[in-house]
mmCIF file of all heavy atoms in Angstrom:
data_model
loop_
_atom_site.group_PDB
_atom_site.id
_atom_site.type_symbol
_atom_site.label_atom_id
_atom_site.label_comp_id
_atom_site.label_asym_id
_atom_site.label_seq_id
_atom_site.Cartn_x
_atom_site.Cartn_y
_atom_site.Cartn_z
ATOM 1 N N GLN A 1 -70.150 44.595 -41.422
ATOM 2 C CA GLN A 1 -70.234 45.103 -40.053
ATOM 3 C C GLN A 1 -69.009 45.936 -39.679
ATOM 4 O O GLN A 1 -69.111 46.918 -38.953
ATOM 5 C CB GLN A 1 -70.383 43.927 -39.080
ATOM 6 C CG GLN A 1 -71.706 43.184 -39.185
ATOM 7 C CD GLN A 1 -71.674 41.822 -38.522
ATOM 8 O OE1 GLN A 1 -70.678 41.439 -37.906
ATOM 9 N NE2 GLN A 1 -72.750 41.065 -38.651
ATOM 10 N N GLU A 2 -67.848 45.557 -40.186
ATOM 11 C CA GLU A 2 -66.588 46.189 -39.791
ATOM 12 C C GLU A 2 -66.302 47.459 -40.581
ATOM 13 O O GLU A 2 -65.761 48.424 -40.037
ATOM 14 C CB GLU A 2 -65.433 45.202 -39.980
ATOM 15 C CG GLU A 2 -64.063 45.723 -39.594
ATOM 16 C CD GLU A 2 -63.894 45.884 -38.086
ATOM 17 O OE1 GLU A 2 -64.600 45.189 -37.314
ATOM 18 O OE2 GLU A 2 -63.045 46.708 -37.685
ATOM 19 N N PHE A 3 -66.673 47.492 -41.857
ATOM 20 C CA PHE A 3 -66.292 48.589 -42.744
ATOM 21 C C PHE A 3 -67.526 49.310 -43.280
ATOM 22 O O PHE A 3 -68.632 48.770 -43.259
ATOM 23 C CB PHE A 3 -65.433 48.053 -43.896
ATOM 24 C CG PHE A 3 -64.186 47.356 -43.437
ATOM 25 C CD1 PHE A 3 -64.106 45.973 -43.418
ATOM 26 C CD2 PHE A 3 -63.099 48.092 -42.987
ATOM 27 C CE1 PHE A 3 -62.964 45.329 -42.967
ATOM 28 C CE2 PHE A 3 -61.949 47.460 -42.528
ATOM 29 C CZ PHE A 3 -61.879 46.075 -42.524
ATOM 30 N N ASN A 4 -67.304 50.534 -43.775
ATOM 31 C CA ASN A 4 -68.438 51.329 -44.248
ATOM 32 C C ASN A 4 -68.532 51.392 -45.768
ATOM 33 O O ASN A 4 -69.358 52.120 -46.310
ATOM 34 C CB ASN A 4 -68.378 52.752 -43.676
ATOM 35 C CG ASN A 4 -67.127 53.494 -44.083
ATOM 36 O OD1 ASN A 4 -66.407 53.076 -45.002
ATOM 37 N ND2 ASN A 4 -66.837 54.598 -43.407
ATOM 38 N N GLY A 5 -67.696 50.647 -46.473
ATOM 39 C CA GLY A 5 -67.775 50.655 -47.923
ATOM 40 C C GLY A 5 -66.616 49.890 -48.545
ATOM 41 O O GLY A 5 -65.680 49.448 -47.859
ATOM 42 N N TRP A 6 -66.688 49.739 -49.862
ATOM 43 C CA TRP A 6 -65.631 49.032 -50.571
ATOM 44 C C TRP A 6 -64.282 49.716 -50.410
ATOM 45 O O TRP A 6 -63.237 49.055 -50.347
ATOM 46 C CB TRP A 6 -65.977 48.937 -52.054
ATOM 47 C CG TRP A 6 -67.084 48.003 -52.401
ATOM 48 C CD1 TRP A 6 -68.315 48.325 -52.919
ATOM 49 C CD2 TRP A 6 -67.087 46.568 -52.275
ATOM 50 N NE1 TRP A 6 -69.068 47.198 -53.125
ATOM 51 C CE2 TRP A 6 -68.335 46.102 -52.740
ATOM 52 C CE3 TRP A 6 -66.143 45.644 -51.822
ATOM 53 C CZ2 TRP A 6 -68.671 44.737 -52.759
ATOM 54 C CZ3 TRP A 6 -66.478 44.293 -51.835
ATOM 55 C CH2 TRP A 6 -67.719 43.858 -52.304
ATOM 56 N N SER A 7 -64.282 51.047 -50.342
ATOM 57 C CA SER A 7 -62.995 51.755 -50.251
ATOM 58 C C SER A 7 -62.287 51.445 -48.940
ATOM 59 O O SER A 7 -61.059 51.280 -48.920
ATOM 60 C CB SER A 7 -63.194 53.263 -50.400
ATOM 61 O OG SER A 7 -64.049 53.765 -49.396
ATOM 62 N N SER A 8 -63.021 51.359 -47.836
ATOM 63 C CA SER A 8 -62.358 51.052 -46.561
ATOM 64 C C SER A 8 -61.947 49.584 -46.491
ATOM 65 O O SER A 8 -60.899 49.258 -45.921
ATOM 66 C CB SER A 8 -63.255 51.427 -45.376
ATOM 67 O OG SER A 8 -64.502 50.783 -45.436
ATOM 68 N N LEU A 9 -62.738 48.691 -47.081
ATOM 69 C CA LEU A 9 -62.298 47.297 -47.173
ATOM 70 C C LEU A 9 -61.020 47.210 -47.998
ATOM 71 O O LEU A 9 -60.064 46.525 -47.624
ATOM 72 C CB LEU A 9 -63.385 46.437 -47.812
ATOM 73 C CG LEU A 9 -62.988 44.969 -48.037
ATOM 74 C CD1 LEU A 9 -62.901 44.218 -46.720
ATOM 75 C CD2 LEU A 9 -63.957 44.275 -48.994
ATOM 76 N N GLY A 10 -60.995 47.936 -49.129
ATOM 77 C CA GLY A 10 -59.807 47.923 -49.983
ATOM 78 C C GLY A 10 -58.585 48.480 -49.281
ATOM 79 O O GLY A 10 -57.471 47.968 -49.447
ATOM 80 N N LEU A 11 -58.773 49.532 -48.489
ATOM 81 C CA LEU A 11 -57.655 50.107 -47.744
ATOM 82 C C LEU A 11 -57.115 49.099 -46.731
ATOM 83 O O LEU A 11 -55.892 48.931 -46.592
ATOM 84 C CB LEU A 11 -58.096 51.382 -47.037
ATOM 85 C CG LEU A 11 -57.063 52.036 -46.121
ATOM 86 C CD1 LEU A 11 -55.800 52.426 -46.889
ATOM 87 C CD2 LEU A 11 -57.674 53.273 -45.428
ATOM 88 N N SER A 12 -58.001 48.409 -46.029
ATOM 89 C CA SER A 12 -57.554 47.415 -45.054
ATOM 90 C C SER A 12 -56.813 46.277 -45.749
ATOM 91 O O SER A 12 -55.794 45.784 -45.245
ATOM 92 C CB SER A 12 -58.761 46.873 -44.282
ATOM 93 O OG SER A 12 -58.346 45.963 -43.280
ATOM 94 N N TYR A 13 -57.301 45.881 -46.912
ATOM 95 C CA TYR A 13 -56.597 44.859 -47.694
ATOM 96 C C TYR A 13 -55.186 45.327 -48.044
ATOM 97 O O TYR A 13 -54.210 44.587 -47.882
ATOM 98 C CB TYR A 13 -57.383 44.541 -48.968
ATOM 99 C CG TYR A 13 -56.614 43.699 -49.952
ATOM 100 C CD1 TYR A 13 -56.619 42.307 -49.865
ATOM 101 C CD2 TYR A 13 -55.847 44.287 -50.967
ATOM 102 C CE1 TYR A 13 -55.892 41.525 -50.755
ATOM 103 C CE2 TYR A 13 -55.116 43.517 -51.852
ATOM 104 C CZ TYR A 13 -55.147 42.139 -51.748
ATOM 105 O OH TYR A 13 -54.418 41.375 -52.628
ATOM 106 N N LEU A 14 -55.072 46.566 -48.526
ATOM 107 C CA LEU A 14 -53.754 47.091 -48.915
ATOM 108 C C LEU A 14 -52.798 47.148 -47.734
ATOM 109 O O LEU A 14 -51.620 46.790 -47.849
ATOM 110 C CB LEU A 14 -53.912 48.487 -49.509
ATOM 111 C CG LEU A 14 -54.416 48.584 -50.945
ATOM 112 C CD1 LEU A 14 -54.664 50.043 -51.307
ATOM 113 C CD2 LEU A 14 -53.412 47.951 -51.901
ATOM 114 N N LEU A 15 -53.274 47.615 -46.594
ATOM 115 C CA LEU A 15 -52.416 47.723 -45.421
ATOM 116 C C LEU A 15 -51.969 46.343 -44.943
ATOM 117 O O LEU A 15 -50.821 46.160 -44.534
ATOM 118 C CB LEU A 15 -53.149 48.476 -44.311
ATOM 119 C CG LEU A 15 -53.388 49.970 -44.591
ATOM 120 C CD1 LEU A 15 -54.409 50.542 -43.616
ATOM 121 C CD2 LEU A 15 -52.080 50.751 -44.533
ATOM 122 N N GLY A 16 -52.882 45.380 -45.004
ATOM 123 C CA GLY A 16 -52.506 44.023 -44.637
ATOM 124 C C GLY A 16 -51.507 43.425 -45.604
ATOM 125 O O GLY A 16 -50.550 42.759 -45.192
ATOM 126 N N PHE A 17 -51.714 43.680 -46.893
ATOM 127 C CA PHE A 17 -50.770 43.177 -47.891
ATOM 128 C C PHE A 17 -49.382 43.785 -47.666
ATOM 129 O O PHE A 17 -48.368 43.083 -47.736
ATOM 130 C CB PHE A 17 -51.254 43.507 -49.309
ATOM 131 C CG PHE A 17 -50.288 43.084 -50.372
ATOM 132 C CD1 PHE A 17 -50.285 41.777 -50.842
ATOM 133 C CD2 PHE A 17 -49.360 43.976 -50.897
ATOM 134 C CE1 PHE A 17 -49.375 41.368 -51.812
ATOM 135 C CE2 PHE A 17 -48.447 43.577 -51.862
ATOM 136 C CZ PHE A 17 -48.458 42.268 -52.325
ATOM 137 N N ALA A 18 -49.341 45.095 -47.397
ATOM 138 C CA ALA A 18 -48.054 45.770 -47.199
ATOM 139 C C ALA A 18 -47.335 45.251 -45.954
ATOM 140 O O ALA A 18 -46.102 45.172 -45.931
ATOM 141 C CB ALA A 18 -48.269 47.281 -47.104
ATOM 142 N N ALA A 19 -48.098 44.898 -44.908
ATOM 143 C CA ALA A 19 -47.470 44.322 -43.719
ATOM 144 C C ALA A 19 -46.930 42.930 -44.015
ATOM 145 O O ALA A 19 -45.893 42.523 -43.466
ATOM 146 C CB ALA A 19 -48.483 44.263 -42.574
ATOM 147 N N TRP A 20 -47.622 42.212 -44.882
ATOM 148 C CA TRP A 20 -47.211 40.844 -45.235
ATOM 149 C C TRP A 20 -46.060 40.834 -46.240
ATOM 150 O O TRP A 20 -45.134 40.028 -46.133
ATOM 151 C CB TRP A 20 -48.414 40.095 -45.813
ATOM 152 C CG TRP A 20 -48.130 38.713 -46.307
ATOM 153 C CD1 TRP A 20 -47.818 37.611 -45.560
ATOM 154 C CD2 TRP A 20 -48.136 38.275 -47.678
ATOM 155 N NE1 TRP A 20 -47.637 36.511 -46.374
ATOM 156 C CE2 TRP A 20 -47.834 36.894 -47.679
ATOM 157 C CE3 TRP A 20 -48.385 38.918 -48.890
ATOM 158 C CZ2 TRP A 20 -47.763 36.146 -48.858
ATOM 159 C CZ3 TRP A 20 -48.322 38.170 -50.060
ATOM 160 C CH2 TRP A 20 -48.009 36.797 -50.036
ATOM 161 N N LYS A 21 -46.115 41.749 -47.217
ATOM 162 C CA LYS A 21 -45.104 41.779 -48.277
ATOM 163 C C LYS A 21 -44.700 43.231 -48.529
ATOM 164 O O LYS A 21 -45.198 43.871 -49.455
ATOM 165 C CB LYS A 21 -45.655 41.150 -49.557
ATOM 166 C CG LYS A 21 -44.606 40.952 -50.645
ATOM 167 C CD LYS A 21 -45.198 40.185 -51.829
ATOM 168 C CE LYS A 21 -44.139 39.886 -52.867
ATOM 169 N NZ LYS A 21 -44.690 39.112 -54.013
ATOM 170 N N PRO A 22 -43.789 43.787 -47.725
ATOM 171 C CA PRO A 22 -43.422 45.204 -47.849
ATOM 172 C C PRO A 22 -42.479 45.478 -49.016
ATOM 173 O O PRO A 22 -41.322 45.863 -48.838
ATOM 174 C CB PRO A 22 -42.763 45.493 -46.494
ATOM 175 C CG PRO A 22 -42.192 44.188 -46.059
ATOM 176 C CD PRO A 22 -43.128 43.131 -46.572
ATOM 177 N N GLU A 23 -42.999 45.258 -50.222
ATOM 178 C CA GLU A 23 -42.229 45.506 -51.446
ATOM 179 C C GLU A 23 -42.966 46.551 -52.274
ATOM 180 O O GLU A 23 -44.140 46.377 -52.612
ATOM 181 C CB GLU A 23 -42.063 44.210 -52.246
ATOM 182 C CG GLU A 23 -41.280 43.141 -51.497
ATOM 183 C CD GLU A 23 -41.172 41.841 -52.275
ATOM 184 O OE1 GLU A 23 -41.618 41.813 -53.446
ATOM 185 O OE2 GLU A 23 -40.668 40.861 -51.701
ATOM 186 N N VAL A 24 -42.271 47.634 -52.608
ATOM 187 C CA VAL A 24 -42.915 48.809 -53.192
ATOM 188 C C VAL A 24 -43.669 48.476 -54.472
ATOM 189 O O VAL A 24 -44.828 48.882 -54.648
ATOM 190 C CB VAL A 24 -41.879 49.918 -53.445
ATOM 191 C CG1 VAL A 24 -42.502 51.064 -54.237
ATOM 192 C CG2 VAL A 24 -41.326 50.430 -52.124
ATOM 193 N N GLN A 25 -43.043 47.760 -55.393
ATOM 194 C CA GLN A 25 -43.684 47.486 -56.678
ATOM 195 C C GLN A 25 -44.973 46.693 -56.485
ATOM 196 O O GLN A 25 -46.009 46.987 -57.093
ATOM 197 C CB GLN A 25 -42.733 46.732 -57.607
ATOM 198 C CG GLN A 25 -43.298 46.471 -58.999
ATOM 199 C CD GLN A 25 -43.662 47.740 -59.746
ATOM 200 O OE1 GLN A 25 -43.012 48.769 -59.594
ATOM 201 N NE2 GLN A 25 -44.725 47.687 -60.541
ATOM 202 N N ALA A 26 -44.921 45.673 -55.642
ATOM 203 C CA ALA A 26 -46.108 44.849 -55.410
ATOM 204 C C ALA A 26 -47.219 45.669 -54.759
ATOM 205 O O ALA A 26 -48.400 45.525 -55.101
ATOM 206 C CB ALA A 26 -45.748 43.650 -54.534
ATOM 207 N N ILE A 27 -46.851 46.536 -53.818
ATOM 208 C CA ILE A 27 -47.849 47.380 -53.157
ATOM 209 C C ILE A 27 -48.493 48.330 -54.158
ATOM 210 O O ILE A 27 -49.727 48.502 -54.187
ATOM 211 C CB ILE A 27 -47.208 48.159 -51.995
ATOM 212 C CG1 ILE A 27 -46.781 47.206 -50.883
ATOM 213 C CG2 ILE A 27 -48.171 49.213 -51.444
ATOM 214 C CD1 ILE A 27 -45.891 47.840 -49.835
ATOM 215 N N ARG A 28 -47.680 48.947 -55.005
ATOM 216 C CA ARG A 28 -48.220 49.905 -55.965
ATOM 217 C C ARG A 28 -49.142 49.231 -56.981
ATOM 218 O O ARG A 28 -50.146 49.813 -57.406
ATOM 219 C CB ARG A 28 -47.075 50.636 -56.656
ATOM 220 C CG ARG A 28 -46.428 51.666 -55.739
ATOM 221 C CD ARG A 28 -45.247 52.366 -56.372
ATOM 222 N NE ARG A 28 -44.759 53.435 -55.501
ATOM 223 C CZ ARG A 28 -43.565 53.996 -55.595
ATOM 224 N NH1 ARG A 28 -42.723 53.592 -56.552
ATOM 225 N NH2 ARG A 28 -43.196 54.954 -54.776
ATOM 226 N N GLU A 29 -48.811 48.016 -57.361
ATOM 227 C CA GLU A 29 -49.686 47.288 -58.289
ATOM 228 C C GLU A 29 -51.053 47.059 -57.667
ATOM 229 O O GLU A 29 -52.086 47.229 -58.315
ATOM 230 C CB GLU A 29 -49.041 45.951 -58.669
ATOM 231 C CG GLU A 29 -47.844 46.091 -59.593
ATOM 232 C CD GLU A 29 -47.127 44.769 -59.814
ATOM 233 O OE1 GLU A 29 -47.567 43.753 -59.228
ATOM 234 O OE2 GLU A 29 -46.151 44.748 -60.579
ATOM 235 N N ARG A 30 -51.061 46.707 -56.409
ATOM 236 C CA ARG A 30 -52.341 46.459 -55.745
ATOM 237 C C ARG A 30 -53.078 47.762 -55.426
ATOM 238 O O ARG A 30 -54.297 47.809 -55.438
ATOM 239 C CB ARG A 30 -52.121 45.600 -54.501
ATOM 240 C CG ARG A 30 -51.957 44.132 -54.898
ATOM 241 C CD ARG A 30 -51.213 43.312 -53.897
ATOM 242 N NE ARG A 30 -51.078 41.923 -54.370
ATOM 243 C CZ ARG A 30 -50.190 41.522 -55.277
ATOM 244 N NH1 ARG A 30 -49.343 42.406 -55.794
ATOM 245 N NH2 ARG A 30 -50.132 40.262 -55.663
ATOM 246 N N GLN A 31 -52.349 48.812 -55.126
ATOM 247 C CA GLN A 31 -52.990 50.118 -54.968
ATOM 248 C C GLN A 31 -53.727 50.509 -56.239
ATOM 249 O O GLN A 31 -54.861 50.995 -56.187
ATOM 250 C CB GLN A 31 -51.943 51.181 -54.632
ATOM 251 C CG GLN A 31 -51.492 51.185 -53.190
ATOM 252 C CD GLN A 31 -50.435 52.245 -52.922
ATOM 253 O OE1 GLN A 31 -49.541 52.483 -53.750
ATOM 254 N NE2 GLN A 31 -50.513 52.874 -51.759
ATOM 255 N N SER A 32 -53.088 50.295 -57.372
ATOM 256 C CA SER A 32 -53.715 50.617 -58.648
ATOM 257 C C SER A 32 -54.980 49.794 -58.855
ATOM 258 O O SER A 32 -56.015 50.315 -59.303
ATOM 259 C CB SER A 32 -52.730 50.363 -59.790
ATOM 260 O OG SER A 32 -53.328 50.609 -61.044
ATOM 261 N N SER A 33 -54.929 48.505 -58.499
ATOM 262 C CA SER A 33 -56.104 47.639 -58.646
ATOM 263 C C SER A 33 -57.242 48.107 -57.755
ATOM 264 O O SER A 33 -58.404 48.181 -58.187
ATOM 265 C CB SER A 33 -55.732 46.189 -58.305
ATOM 266 O OG SER A 33 -54.783 45.678 -59.210
ATOM 267 N N VAL A 34 -56.927 48.439 -56.497
ATOM 268 C CA VAL A 34 -57.968 48.883 -55.571
ATOM 269 C C VAL A 34 -58.571 50.204 -56.033
ATOM 270 O O VAL A 34 -59.799 50.388 -56.009
ATOM 271 C CB VAL A 34 -57.403 49.001 -54.138
ATOM 272 C CG1 VAL A 34 -58.385 49.723 -53.221
ATOM 273 C CG2 VAL A 34 -57.086 47.618 -53.581
ATOM 274 N N GLN A 35 -57.735 51.140 -56.460
ATOM 275 C CA GLN A 35 -58.249 52.424 -56.932
ATOM 276 C C GLN A 35 -59.185 52.258 -58.123
ATOM 277 O O GLN A 35 -60.229 52.913 -58.211
ATOM 278 C CB GLN A 35 -57.084 53.349 -57.287
ATOM 279 C CG GLN A 35 -56.332 53.863 -56.064
ATOM 280 C CD GLN A 35 -55.040 54.588 -56.421
ATOM 281 O OE1 GLN A 35 -54.693 54.730 -57.597
ATOM 282 N NE2 GLN A 35 -54.315 55.037 -55.410
ATOM 283 N N ASN A 36 -58.834 51.348 -59.021
ATOM 284 C CA ASN A 36 -59.702 51.103 -60.171
ATOM 285 C C ASN A 36 -61.027 50.492 -59.729
ATOM 286 O O ASN A 36 -62.099 50.879 -60.224
ATOM 287 C CB ASN A 36 -59.006 50.174 -61.170
ATOM 288 C CG ASN A 36 -59.862 49.913 -62.389
ATOM 289 O OD1 ASN A 36 -60.153 50.804 -63.179
ATOM 290 N ND2 ASN A 36 -60.304 48.666 -62.553
ATOM 291 N N LEU A 37 -60.977 49.551 -58.809
ATOM 292 C CA LEU A 37 -62.202 48.925 -58.327
ATOM 293 C C LEU A 37 -63.107 49.925 -57.618
ATOM 294 O O LEU A 37 -64.334 49.867 -57.732
ATOM 295 C CB LEU A 37 -61.864 47.769 -57.382
ATOM 296 C CG LEU A 37 -61.343 46.498 -58.047
ATOM 297 C CD1 LEU A 37 -60.668 45.592 -57.020
ATOM 298 C CD2 LEU A 37 -62.477 45.763 -58.742
ATOM 299 N N VAL A 38 -62.505 50.858 -56.883
ATOM 300 C CA VAL A 38 -63.286 51.841 -56.137
ATOM 301 C C VAL A 38 -63.860 52.917 -57.049
ATOM 302 O O VAL A 38 -65.023 53.323 -56.903
ATOM 303 C CB VAL A 38 -62.424 52.486 -55.031
ATOM 304 C CG1 VAL A 38 -63.148 53.682 -54.408
ATOM 305 C CG2 VAL A 38 -62.080 51.458 -53.951
ATOM 306 N N HIS A 39 -63.081 53.380 -58.020
ATOM 307 C CA HIS A 39 -63.462 54.575 -58.774
ATOM 308 C C HIS A 39 -64.034 54.322 -60.164
ATOM 309 O O HIS A 39 -64.747 55.173 -60.692
ATOM 310 C CB HIS A 39 -62.253 55.512 -58.892
ATOM 311 C CG HIS A 39 -61.761 56.015 -57.576
ATOM 312 N ND1 HIS A 39 -62.527 56.821 -56.755
ATOM 313 C CD2 HIS A 39 -60.580 55.813 -56.914
ATOM 314 C CE1 HIS A 39 -61.848 57.104 -55.660
ATOM 315 N NE2 HIS A 39 -60.666 56.505 -55.726
ATOM 316 N N SER A 40 -63.754 53.178 -60.760
ATOM 317 C CA SER A 40 -64.273 52.931 -62.106
ATOM 318 C C SER A 40 -65.767 52.600 -62.051
ATOM 319 O O SER A 40 -66.182 51.710 -61.296
ATOM 320 C CB SER A 40 -63.526 51.770 -62.767
ATOM 321 O OG SER A 40 -64.163 51.414 -63.978
ATOM 322 N N PRO A 41 -66.591 53.289 -62.834
ATOM 323 C CA PRO A 41 -68.035 52.999 -62.814
ATOM 324 C C PRO A 41 -68.367 51.621 -63.361
ATOM 325 O O PRO A 41 -69.468 51.112 -63.121
ATOM 326 C CB PRO A 41 -68.620 54.102 -63.716
ATOM 327 C CG PRO A 41 -67.486 54.533 -64.583
ATOM 328 C CD PRO A 41 -66.249 54.378 -63.760
ATOM 329 N N ASP A 42 -67.431 51.005 -64.064
ATOM 330 C CA ASP A 42 -67.679 49.678 -64.637
ATOM 331 C C ASP A 42 -67.145 48.541 -63.781
ATOM 332 O O ASP A 42 -67.317 47.375 -64.140
ATOM 333 C CB ASP A 42 -67.037 49.592 -66.031
ATOM 334 C CG ASP A 42 -67.609 50.607 -67.000
ATOM 335 O OD1 ASP A 42 -68.827 50.857 -66.938
ATOM 336 O OD2 ASP A 42 -66.830 51.156 -67.811
ATOM 337 N N SER A 43 -66.493 48.874 -62.660
ATOM 338 C CA SER A 43 -65.878 47.815 -61.856
ATOM 339 C C SER A 43 -66.947 47.010 -61.125
ATOM 340 O O SER A 43 -68.080 47.454 -60.918
ATOM 341 C CB SER A 43 -64.908 48.418 -60.830
ATOM 342 O OG SER A 43 -65.603 48.940 -59.723
ATOM 343 N N VAL A 44 -66.558 45.806 -60.703
ATOM 344 C CA VAL A 44 -67.499 44.954 -59.987
ATOM 345 C C VAL A 44 -67.914 45.586 -58.658
ATOM 346 O O VAL A 44 -69.051 45.423 -58.209
ATOM 347 C CB VAL A 44 -66.904 43.542 -59.787
ATOM 348 C CG1 VAL A 44 -65.692 43.577 -58.852
ATOM 349 C CG2 VAL A 44 -67.957 42.585 -59.256
ATOM 350 N N TRP A 45 -67.022 46.333 -58.011
ATOM 351 C CA TRP A 45 -67.397 46.995 -56.764
ATOM 352 C C TRP A 45 -68.416 48.105 -57.008
ATOM 353 O O TRP A 45 -69.299 48.324 -56.178
ATOM 354 C CB TRP A 45 -66.161 47.545 -56.056
ATOM 355 C CG TRP A 45 -65.321 46.473 -55.410
ATOM 356 C CD1 TRP A 45 -65.565 45.128 -55.408
ATOM 357 C CD2 TRP A 45 -64.125 46.660 -54.659
ATOM 358 N NE1 TRP A 45 -64.576 44.455 -54.723
ATOM 359 C CE2 TRP A 45 -63.685 45.370 -54.245
ATOM 360 C CE3 TRP A 45 -63.371 47.781 -54.308
ATOM 361 C CZ2 TRP A 45 -62.530 45.186 -53.488
ATOM 362 C CZ3 TRP A 45 -62.204 47.590 -53.558
ATOM 363 C CH2 TRP A 45 -61.792 46.319 -53.146
ATOM 364 N N SER A 46 -68.314 48.791 -58.130
ATOM 365 C CA SER A 46 -69.304 49.827 -58.451
ATOM 366 C C SER A 46 -70.652 49.193 -58.806
ATOM 367 O O SER A 46 -71.707 49.771 -58.544
ATOM 368 C CB SER A 46 -68.815 50.687 -59.616
ATOM 369 O OG SER A 46 -67.653 51.414 -59.264
ATOM 370 N N ARG A 47 -70.619 48.025 -59.400
ATOM 371 C CA ARG A 47 -71.853 47.366 -59.823
ATOM 372 C C ARG A 47 -72.588 46.688 -58.679
ATOM 373 O O ARG A 47 -73.792 46.416 -58.787
ATOM 374 C CB ARG A 47 -71.544 46.324 -60.906
ATOM 375 C CG ARG A 47 -71.138 46.924 -62.242
ATOM 376 C CD ARG A 47 -71.052 45.868 -63.325
ATOM 377 N NE ARG A 47 -69.851 45.052 -63.262
ATOM 378 C CZ ARG A 47 -69.829 43.750 -62.971
ATOM 379 N NH1 ARG A 47 -70.945 43.123 -62.660
ATOM 380 N NH2 ARG A 47 -68.678 43.083 -62.961
#
């Protein structure tokens, strides 16, 4: 109801994580995970 797709859910997750733990390395690791989930045709979000 709140979001229009996995990418917007993933973005909200990332922003919340960054507010909770504002550490660059940790944020970048999760950005990489979200990007893979959104864009990889084999990811669970794509399936």
